Amino acid sequence: MTKPAQRPLLFLDVDGTLLPTGGAQMPSTLEQWGQWQHPSNPQLAKLVPAHGPRLLAMSCDLMWATAWMHDANEVIAPLLGLPELPELPVAGLPDAPEEDEAGVLHWKTRTLVETAAGRPFVWVDDEISDLDRAWVEAQHQGQALLHRVDSAIGLTVTDLAALDEWLQDVSGAS
């Protein structure tokens, strides 16, 4: 008897992806990050509530892949209409570096491939590079789509359509 195929994972970033950062002064200290990840952050008005139902309708399992970690369930999920219970799972990411280094693998890449464990996945983020794509292609046994979003405008309807199309193709191929 064969094991049923698992649905693809969709790893979802927050800053620059669901929460556009265009024009915003991004935090640089832990104290500022604490204020940024608080429900009173005025930037949260930039979230698009219609994205929540659209993401839930996709043929995948959603998982946070963000420095917000579990705060994404408390702050972001309710604003998008994502389920509060059960909470969306959170990828166990390493601590984000204080500064991004050019020309190195993104700090999330290895962990997301390990978390997927050969399962098809989509990673939606504003910091994906060609280096990340090449590394995932070489290291991941399943299908993967690394979809980069423009951080100034965040996730768009066009991005969602591309994700949905890829997920349908992968689900149909299983």
Side-chain angles (χ1 to χ4, degrees):
M1 181 187 235
T2 60
K3 186 170 106 175
Q6 290 183 299
R7 288 167 30 116
L9 288 168
L10 192 155
F11 293 117
L12 194 55
D13 179 46
V14 172
D15 293 318
T17 302
L18 292 173
L19 184 57
T21 56
Q25 177 64 39
M26 293 301 291
S28 59
T29 66
L30 284 177
E31 181 181 336
Q32 289 172 342
W33 273 112
Q35 295 167 351
W36 182 263
Q37 294 176 329
H38 192 271
S40 64
N41 178 354
Q43 289 295 118
L44 294 173
K46 293 181 178 181
L47 289 169
V48 179
H51 287 347
R54 183 87 187 264
L55 288 163
L56 286 173
M58 291 183 181
S59 56
C60 63
D61 295 331
L62 299 175
M63 181 179 280
W64 295 117
T66 175
W68 283 68
M69 300 299 283
H70 291 281
D71 288 341
N73 279 314
E74 295 175 27
V75 179
I76 303 297
L79 296 172
L80 292 177
L82 296 173
E84 293 181 49
L85 292 174
E87 293 182 336
L88 293 181
V90 178
L93 299 171
D95 290 337
E98 290 192 25
E99 290 186 29
D100 291 328
E101 294 180 53
V104 299
L105 199 61
H106 192 279
W107 61 276
K108 297 177 187 177
T109 308
R110 285 184 175 86
T111 300
L112 297 182
V113 168
E114 289 171 12
T115 301
R119 187 172 169 183
F121 74 88
V122 176
W123 174 22
V124 184
D125 205 305
D126 62 311
E127 297 178 339
I128 295 169
S129 71
D130 289 338
L131 180 60
D132 299 305
R133 286 186 179 89
W135 195 88
V136 169
E137 186 175 330
Q139 301 298 320
H140 182 61
Q141 303 304 311
Q143 294 175 289
L145 171 65
L146 278 62
H147 187 84
R148 185 178 175 126
V149 172
D150 180 344
S151 64
I153 58 174
L155 192 66
T156 66
V157 172
T158 303
D159 293 316
L160 289 166
L163 302 177
D164 200 29
E165 181 179 336
W166 187 87
L167 288 164
Q168 288 178 21
D169 287 347
V170 168
S171 296
S174 305

